[in-house]
Amino acid sequence: MQRHGSGGSAVIRFRAAGLILLLAHLVLVGWLTLRPLDVMWVTAANLEPLAGIKADLAMGPVEAARRIGEGLLLLAPLGVLLPMAGGRLDVSPWASLARTVLAGALVSLGIELLQTAVPGRVVDVDALLLNTAGVALAHLAVVPAWRGRLRRRHGLGRGQGVGVLRDDVSQGATPRIPRVGIAP
């Protein structure tokens, strides 16, 4: 299947850049979160939602802002990089948000589960909540405006997405071939 339109090669380049940046970000996140920590003792796993955030707020506003901000920012780039890697301009904003947030939550869950095998790291349900909220906020802040700008740049309205597969586009009426008689 071929891509059609003037933006076909641009979509491929855009998706490739998105995939490369996504991979680089995931490697960085893996390095930051899955390195063993050399600590004397480890706190118990936090399986009670919002208990860690309440404890952070009890430490004072500066420390709470730092810890909560770290949780929000760790996976926030996925909110932009996942749709960028998808490379679709004409997609429902709600469906895009749902797919991106679900993928971000699954990545965060995977990181939390992998941390159980790393010395010095423990599972924290609040990290999962903050990471997922960061993905959602980044997506909402950037992606709708970014897609609208790209659609205007390519002169497209809704329903005329760049990178639409040729099979999905009407190609006109089916050609008619006159009947040819068969010899007796």
Side-chain angles (χ1 to χ4, degrees):
M1 293 188 205
Q2 297 176 341
R3 301 229 178 236
H4 91 300
S6 61
S9 63
V11 169
I12 293 169
R13 286 192 307 266
F14 198 68
R15 287 184 76 183
L19 287 170
I20 291 168
L21 290 172
L22 179 64
L23 180 64
H25 178 68
L26 289 176
V27 166
L28 176 67
V29 167
W31 182 76
L32 288 172
T33 59
L34 298 175
R35 288 183 302 155
L37 294 179
D38 195 22
V39 293
M40 295 298 291
W41 57 276
V42 179
T43 60
N46 174 23
L47 300 177
E48 182 184 339
L50 304 179
I53 294 173
K54 289 176 189 174
D56 291 342
L57 291 172
M59 293 180 153
V62 174
E63 186 65 19
R66 185 185 69 78
R67 288 185 180 212
I68 292 171
E70 285 175 356
L72 288 172
L73 293 176
L74 181 67
L75 293 181
L78 292 182
V80 177
L81 294 175
L82 287 170
M84 185 177 175
R88 298 188 317 179
L89 294 180
D90 189 29
V91 65
S92 165
W94 296 111
S96 175
L97 177 65
R99 276 192 310 268
T100 303
V101 169
L102 180 63
L106 290 174
V107 168
S108 182
L109 179 64
I111 289 169
E112 291 300 318
L113 292 176
L114 286 172
Q115 284 182 343
T116 60
V118 178
R121 302 282 185 169
V122 293
V123 175
D124 186 3
V125 71
D126 292 336
L128 176 71
L129 296 173
L130 288 172
N131 292 339
T132 304
V135 169
L137 291 173
H139 183 88
L140 289 171
V142 175
V143 173
W146 166 67
R147 279 188 175 140
R149 182 175 174 216
L150 287 175
R151 277 195 298 267
R152 283 190 302 277
R153 184 171 155 193
H154 289 287
L156 301 171
R158 300 253 336 138
Q160 299 175 337
V162 172
V164 175
L165 298 178
R166 185 176 293 270
D167 293 345
D168 295 343
V169 179
S170 173
Q171 306 223 348
T174 304
R176 305 264 176 173
I177 300 172
R179 297 192 119 216
V180 177
I182 300 177

